[in-house]
Amino acid sequence: FLEGPVRRLKTAMSQAEKAALHQAVAASDLYDKKLRMYKVNASLADTTFEVGRCRAFTAGWLENESIWLHMEYKYLLELLKCGLYEEFAAAFRDAAVPFLDPAVYGRSPLENVSFLASSALPDPADHGRGFVARLSGSTAEFLQIWQLMFFGPKPFTMTESGLACAFAPMVPAYLMPADGVLHATFLGKIAVTYRCGGKEALLPGQYAVTAYTLTAQDGQTVRHAGPALPADLAEALRSGSFTAVEVEIG
């Protein structure tokens, strides 16, 4: 079951062990090679009904070998949270709904579903088709992925000097616009602009934030050079005193 690797990625493993675990998952029957997506479980053909109701469903359908979107997104989220950035970028491009072919998915890629029929289903016409539209766990996981990709895991931290704010985006090359300028919204209302200095991708540890320019509600701007905002600016940003932030990346 895919839940096993999800739980293991949350444990205190080394990066090498986590990378090896991901490689093992990708080489196992949990990975649907045709769809390049991750199934909720491997084949249950050799098990009995004592494993639960999942055994009662046709393989590739509902809780038996389907692409159970909520669990797949949990797996993608853990890849991102544990710092396997390149592995996450590749898996996200293949598995995330926004990148799916609508003709195969069978609906708008702006809409999540409960599950997608995997290639284990006997009818190949339904392979990759989404069923049971819903806004549930998969949406919550996707929003957390989005937040981590644009702002990092801890935009606000406490230091000896007080509150600090530092953005640490992770944006793969295939999502970088040609002009190297990215836009996002922080805390629901603060416009954030990243100027990426010609970077083809933003992978934490491979770039440096060099400056922040903050715009107040009255239009006045404050520029701070460095990787993080100090306490006074971080507190003002969090309290809503600034409406926009421009982040320079070198």
Side-chain angles (χ1 to χ4, degrees), residues 42-65:
S43 175
L44 300 177
D46 295 330
T47 65
T48 68
F49 286 98
E50 292 180 352
V51 301
R53 69 182 188 184
C54 53
R55 180 65 177 83
F57 296 110
T58 301
W61 184 258
L62 279 170
E63 297 173 30
N64 184 6
E65 277 197 87

Side-chain angles (χ1 to χ4, degrees), residues 118-250:
S118 76
S119 62
L121 193 72
D123 186 356
D126 282 330
H127 292 175
R129 187 169 296 278
F131 293 90
V132 191
R134 66 190 304 179
L135 295 174
S136 64
S138 55
T139 302
E141 305 295 349
F142 189 87
L143 288 174
Q144 190 173 5
I145 288 171
W146 179 89
Q147 291 174 340
L148 290 172
M149 289 178 67
F150 278 98
F151 307 115
K154 294 181 179 180
F156 291 109
T157 56
M158 288 300 298
T159 69
E160 293 182 355
S161 302
L163 187 69
C165 179
F167 293 156
M170 197 253 67
V171 182
Y174 56 80
L175 290 179
M176 291 287 286
D179 61 3
V181 178
L182 290 165
H183 299 280
T185 301
F186 185 55
L187 300 180
K189 58 184 178 180
I190 301 171
V192 176
T193 301
Y194 289 105
R195 300 197 179 278
C196 301
K199 291 286 184 181
E200 294 184 358
L202 295 180
L203 300 181
Q206 298 185 19
Y207 66 84
V209 173
T210 57
Y212 296 82
T213 300
L214 301 95
T215 302
Q217 294 180 2
D218 60 4
Q220 297 294 313
T221 61
V222 178
R223 189 174 189 276
H224 176 80
L229 295 173
D232 58 337
L233 295 178
E235 291 174 3
L237 178 66
R238 190 175 64 176
S239 67
S241 298
F242 295 106
T243 60
V245 181
E246 185 174 295
V247 184
E248 298 172 31
I249 293 177

Side-chain angles (χ1 to χ4, degrees), residues 97-98 105 107-112 135:
V97 168
Y105 186 50
R107 60 185 70 239
S108 168
L110 298 176
E111 183 178 79
N112 278 342
L135 295 174

Side-chain angles (χ1 to χ4, degrees), residues 69-103:
L69 196 59
H70 180 35
M71 185 55 67
E72 182 181 55
Y73 275 10
K74 278 181 175 290
Y75 182 70
L76 297 178
L77 176 60
E78 289 306 316
L79 292 179
L80 179 57
K81 287 171 68 175
C82 71
L84 295 179
Y85 299 125
E86 294 183 0
E87 292 86 344
F88 165 80
F92 188 67
R93 180 64 180 84
D94 288 334
V97 168
F99 303 111
L100 300 182
D101 182 352

